[in-house]
Structures are given as structure tokens and as C-alpha cells.
Amino acid sequence: MATKVYVNKEVNVNDEGFLTDPSQWSVDIAREIAKEEGILLTPKHLEVINYIRERVLKGETISMRSINKSGIVNVKELYELFPNTPLKLACKIAGVSKPASCV
Amino acid sequence: MKNIVILGGGTAGTIMANKLRQALEKDEWNIVLIDKEKTHYYQPGLLFIPFDIYKKQDVIKPKMNFFPSGVDVIFSEIERIEPDMNQVVLVDDKHIKYDILIIASGTSIRPEQTPGLMDNLWYNKIFDFYSLEGALALRDFLRKWEGGTMLINIVDLPYKCPVAPLEFAFLADEYFTKKGIRDKVKIKYVTPLSGAFTKPRANKMLSGLLEEKNIEIIPDYYIERVDNEHSSIVSYDNRELNFDLLAIVPLNMGSDMIERSGIGDDLNYVPTNKSTLQSEKFENIFVIGDAANLPTSKAGSVAHFASDILFENILSFIENRPLKAHFDGHANCYIETGFGKGSLIDFNYDTEPLPGTFPLPGIGPFGLLKNTKMNHYGKIMFRWMYWHLLLPGKELPIEPLMSMAGKCEKC
């Protein structure tokens, strides 16, 4: 399995750079991943990311619609925070696997 | 006398009714099945209707033909489930008690959830192919259409039968070619996924086929609304695409009855143990087929494979034994690729579709991730198997759990 070093910590990643073990994640790592993607994390970003982590770690699936219903951001705002491929990007920064609803 | 109540008489509910009625003593267990509709649709067949391959009568039969004797069938809308009272309430306020509940209420398309979709272009230039009405209206439209831009768009995930819109694209390519107007039709495949399919190897194979057939893929596209005036769709990031014909896969959601019962997620799917198929919350409730939130395809093959597992676990539950049967998310999908050929994918929660032969190693007769005539015959023969073997709950020559035999990981 591939590994990558963020803020002096080695983490396991898949070939698309998604963390394979969400427990290795930290906010500092999130900042680094975001930077690679050209995003400067704001408190709003973190609110979305924490929501995604909470849902995914409970074993629930995350979708555009569930984020829309979260009350944190609507889909338009999600696109502004995480441009082009918001769901994938947000999951990547949140240190969880690619949205599992994609079967 | 004890009660098993099954909600839904589609593929999953019908198989369970047949299996359980055969196994359980009639003087010990009453089986009640509740459904609102009297017609059973052979859903894989709907795809063939727009292209004049199947007729209406090829895909519908009365549900009653497939329920075994000794099952009480109630045709009614369900108001809600009251899990704490172990009862189901019907719209006429009739209460039905259960000892075990099986939720098999499926998923359905919700075109009303996308703004502008059901406006004046609906069934005029915009069609779904997941309902009989939609498939027939699209057939009538295509018979007269002389060409233009056709968009195939998937609104969101998950949706029933993930390969169906791809098959639709391939069959459309063949249809327009045979009609002699392929050069006048632009086909664009517009998807929220990052490619034709989610899993890498199947994606490569299917993207290759789209390219070969001159079908353009527009990935990572989330539709926000339909602009009826400009005859276009608009994404959340404001990408506008014009169309002369839009074949849409609307948002899919589980039954509203699940929402009224307060036991579903955002899309009305019931949180379900992906291995035992027991509800995450209520130990005497089990969920099968599209109604469950399982991380696998919403497809008839999954419901069919899961039925063997659920059957075993319900018998264990009745006898107070631990639930030992474990589902692996096995899915098996024949993919029509046009011009009398087809492909086949076989996968589960953990293993992506791999190349090889199926079901017999080295022999087949079907080729996994290959494009062959034999795979197409497999799909055509399947309709007979569906009505005569699968729905009645008879043994099929395929094991419920996925097998690695015949698959090649390094190919």
C-alpha cells in the first residue's frame, strides 16, 4: 500500500491519494491535503468536513443531497468551497474514502 | 399462530414469500404480503421498449401469478410501520401485527425532485426509461425523430441498475445506425460519476466502448435544473447543455412510507446490516433489495442473491439461533452493448468486476468484461429464467455468494 507524509506523519493512501484509514486523519493533515488541491481551509470548510466524517464513521453513506439537507451549506455553496468535484474533494480532505454510493 | 409480514411484492418480496411459504408450517406461521400495485414489471425489459425490441406485454404480468397459495395478499397503500408496536398501519387505518417484518418496498424514480424536469418538455422532449409510461412515450418519440442532440443524464446516486443508462446509450447507437440517421445524432452521456462506471477495470472497458461508438462522456456533472425555455440542463456549477432529446435517470428514493415511519435515511433507504440484512435498529425487522441502504448495486440480481442469505437468517431468528449467513453484496449484471453483443460483470462489496469466464472457469460460456454474442444471449434467456425460476424462488445454477473461480485479478 502507498504511503504519504503530511506534517511529519506517515499515512496510508490509495492510488488516488485518499486516506485509507480515517483514524490517521487530523485537521493539520486536512490543511495539507487542501493546499495540494489549491484550497485554503476556512471554518466553513471544516464544518462540512466534520459533518462528512461524522456521517461516514457512523457507517452512513454521504451524497450531494445529504450535504444539502445538513443545514451547513447548500449545493451551490458546496461548489464554491470545493470547486469542480465537490463531493470527492471534500471526502478526500476529510480523510475518508470516495463516496460509497458510487456503485 | 405467528405472523411474518412482507412489505412489497416486487422481485425481493415475491422470492421471499415463495421461499418462506415452502419452508414454514402453515399452522404455525401466517404470511401476509402487502403491495399497492397489482402488476409485476420485468424491469430489465423496460430498456428494450424505446427501441421497439420488446413490447408492453413482454414486461408485465399479474403479481398474483407469482405468489404461492397460503400467503394472504393485501393490495393497499401502507401508511406507516410502527416498529415499537410491531405493527403495520394501512391507509384505511387497518392494523396488521407482525412477529417478523420484511421490508422489500424498493426504490422509485422522483422526477419531481429536479426543478423544471416535469414542466412542459416532460414526455415531449424529456423521457425516463424506468417506467412503462416513460419507455412507451420515448418509443413513440423515437419512431418519428429525425436527429439532433440526445443527452443521457443521471441525476444522482444511487440509482437502480447502474449499467442501464450505459446500455441505453449502446442500444440507441445501434437503433440510430440501423435507421440510417446515426450521423445526424450526437449522443452525450452526462453523469455525476468521474467516468462511465465507478470501478476501475469496468470503467476502462465501458469507456472504451463509448468511445468506439462515438458517444461523448461528460463526467462530474450534477444537474441542478432543466431550463424549458432554452431546452437545456444546467448543473450546480452553471454548465449548460442543450438538447433535442433528454433521456433522464431521475433521482431514486425509497418509499415515502419509510419516511412516514421515521426509519429511513435522507433518501428513505433503511439502515441495514450489510452482512445479516437485519435492520440496524429493530431486531425483528429485516430489509432486502433496493429498500436497504447497502453499499452495493440496486439490482434484481442483488435481491435474488440476498434472498438465500435472508432466508437462512430468518429461519435462524425463528429458532433463536445466531444469524450466521453473511451477505457479500454479490451483483451480477449482463450489459447490452448493441449489435447483438453483450458484456457481463460479477462483483461484490470488496471485489471489483474482474475479467475472466462465468460461471465455469476457462469454459464460461459467458465472458466477464468481454463483449460477446454469448453474453447477449445470456441476457435474452434471462427473461424466461426470471419469470419461471427466479420469482418462484427455485434454485438457479449460480451461487449466492460471489466466487473467484474463473476470475483473473492480474489480467
Side-chain angles (χ1 to χ4, degrees), chain B residues 278-292:
Chain B
Q278 191 174 36
S279 143
E280 294 279 13
K281 256 192 169 161
F282 308 98
E283 65 162 11
N284 63 341
I285 298 182
F286 295 84
V287 194
I288 183 166
D290 296 347

Side-chain angles (χ1 to χ4, degrees), chain B residues 97-341:
Chain B
K97 287 271 177 198
Y98 61 82
D99 295 283
I100 295 172
L101 183 71
I102 299 175
I103 300 176
S105 46
T107 182
S108 61
I109 55 167
R110 307 297 181 101
E112 75 282 358
Q113 294 280 337
T114 302
L117 189 57
M118 289 186 90
D119 233 322
N120 49 13
L121 294 183
W122 182 245
Y123 285 9
N124 189 353
K125 274 175 143 183
I126 304 174
F127 304 89
D128 75 88
F129 51 92
Y130 277 79
S131 67
L132 186 57
E133 303 75 51
L136 288 168
L138 179 53
R139 178 200 65 190
D140 295 343
F141 177 90
L142 285 176
R143 282 177 180 171
K144 292 186 211 136
W145 198 44
E146 287 167 2
T149 299
M150 175 172 87
L151 301 182
I152 300 165
N153 177 232
I154 299 153
V155 170
D156 205 348
L157 309 160
Y159 60 94
K160 260 194 250 200
C161 189
V163 295
L166 285 165
E167 298 182 278
F168 183 87
F170 298 141
L171 290 173
D173 167 68
E174 177 185 355
Y175 179 85
F176 296 132
T177 304
K178 287 186 172 164
K179 229 176 141 182
I181 60 165
R182 183 63 183 90
D183 57 333
K184 296 191 181 70
V185 180
K186 263 192 197 151
I187 308 178
K188 296 182 184 182
Y189 191 82
V190 187
T191 169
L193 296 175
S194 297
F197 202 68
T198 46
K199 308 290 171 88
R201 272 181 254 214
N203 180 42
K204 200 173 157 208
M205 189 258 172
L206 294 164
S207 304
L209 274 178
L210 286 173
E211 200 180 329
E212 203 177 284
K213 293 171 193 286
N214 200 16
I215 297 162
E216 185 188 350
I217 305 186
I218 300 175
D220 295 313
Y221 187 99
Y222 268 94
I223 183 176
E224 184 195 11
R225 61 191 167 87
V226 175
D227 185 331
N228 282 261
E229 217 169 289
H230 293 107
S231 188
S232 63
I233 58 174
V234 184
S235 69
Y236 282 106
D237 52 348
N238 288 319
R239 281 182 282 162
E240 186 170 358
L241 298 171
N242 284 91
F243 63 82
D244 301 297
L245 166 58
L246 170 61
I248 193 117
V249 181
L251 180 71
N252 278 216
M253 284 175 79
S255 169
D256 288 332
M257 164 276 289
I258 299 295
E259 188 179 15
R260 289 195 290 271
S261 311
I263 58 168
D265 64 13
D266 303 320
L267 291 170
N268 302 347
Y269 298 123
V270 184
T272 305
N273 184 305
K274 69 178 198 172
S275 173
T276 63
L277 306 174
Q278 191 174 36
S279 143
E280 294 279 13
K281 256 192 169 161
F282 308 98
E283 65 162 11
N284 63 341
I285 298 182
F286 295 84
V287 194
I288 183 166
D290 296 347
N293 75 336
L294 304 183
T296 183
S297 294
K298 298 210 174 292
S301 66
V302 175
H304 165 233
F305 295 134
S307 72
D308 283 346
I309 307 301
L310 182 57
F311 174 69
E312 267 190 70
N313 280 344
I314 285 186
L315 294 188
S316 299
F317 184 80
I318 286 173
E319 291 161 15
N320 279 319
R321 288 185 280 123
L323 308 182
K324 275 209 201 115
H326 296 294
F327 189 49
D328 64 348
H330 187 193
N332 179 282
C333 310
Y334 285 90
I335 308 170
E336 279 294 297
T337 56
F339 296 97
K341 288 190 177 178

Side-chain angles (χ1 to χ4, degrees), chain A residues 55 63-66 69 75-76 79 84-85 87-88 101-103, chain B residues 156-157 162 194 198 220 222 224 236-238 251 266 295-297:
Chain A
R55 295 269 312 225
S63 68
M64 213 66 131
R65 228 150 273 267
S66 56
K69 279 189 180 177
V75 178
K76 282 258 187 234
Y79 266 95
N84 300 324
T85 56
L87 202 55
K88 245 181 5 188
S101 61
C102 308
V103 181
Chain B
D156 205 348
L157 309 160
S194 297
T198 46
D220 295 313
Y222 268 94
E224 184 195 11
Y236 282 106
D237 52 348
N238 288 319
L251 180 71
D266 303 320
T296 183
S297 294

Side-chain angles (χ1 to χ4, degrees), chain B residues 8 47 179 313 360 389 393:
Chain B
L47 180 71
K179 229 176 141 182
N313 280 344
L360 300 174
L389 299 176

Side-chain angles (χ1 to χ4, degrees), chain A residues 21-91:
Chain A
D21 177 0
S23 71
Q24 295 179 330
W25 181 90
S26 69
V27 175
D28 287 335
I29 290 176
R31 274 187 223 290
E32 294 278 307
I33 303 174
K35 207 155 73 182
E36 286 179 352
E37 300 287 345
I39 294 171
L40 186 65
L41 281 198
T42 64
K44 202 73 193 169
H45 285 102
L46 279 171
E47 231 182 296
V48 175
I49 283 166
N50 285 328
Y51 171 77
I52 291 176
R53 282 186 65 82
E54 198 182 302
R55 295 269 312 225
V56 173
L57 295 182
K58 261 198 267 171
E60 293 171 17
T61 48
I62 195 87
S63 68
M64 213 66 131
R65 228 150 273 267
S66 56
I67 292 177
N68 201 25
K69 279 189 180 177
S70 68
I72 300 168
V73 285
N74 62 30
V75 178
K76 282 258 187 234
E77 292 161 342
L78 187 71
Y79 266 95
E80 283 159 23
L81 293 173
F82 304 94
N84 300 324
T85 56
L87 202 55
K88 245 181 5 188
L89 208 49
C91 284

